[in-house]
Amino acid sequence: NAHRVEKGRELFVAPAPAAPTAVPFNDGPTLVNYVMGAYRALGPEKGAGIQGVLTGLGYQNINDVQPGHYAAFHAGVEALAGA
């Protein structure tokens, strides 16, 4: 925990927020391309887990994923590779 002492009293300083994770897509078409490539790389068994990532974020269709969820979606798909 980051903290510092100032004039004899301890003052806690909140850690800096984590930097946003860079994702290899920034719009719908590049997101679809990423998913297609990820599915091919994962194979059909692990690739089927992509739907679980979608539904876990509240989506049924890849085209509905909003930019605010791109980082979480990317992390979920990447986690499938390590599963």
Side-chain angles (χ1 to χ4, degrees):
N1 290 335
H3 71 278
R4 62 188 173 123
V5 176
E6 185 175 298
K7 294 186 181 180
R9 62 187 175 122
E10 199 166 26
L11 177 66
F12 288 93
V13 178
T21 303
V23 295
F25 46 86
N26 58 9
D27 59 16
T30 57
L31 171 61
V32 170
N33 287 338
Y34 164 75
V35 169
M36 290 171 55
Y39 183 86
R40 282 192 296 273
L42 291 168
E45 192 172 308
K46 283 188 177 182
I50 294 172
Q51 185 64 40
V53 175
L54 278 173
T55 57
L57 292 172
Y59 298 104
Q60 294 298 316
N61 188 304
I62 189 66
N63 295 311
D64 296 333
V65 177
Q66 296 298 303
H69 288 134
Y70 283 1
F73 179 75
H74 179 255
V77 172
E78 293 298 310
L80 294 172

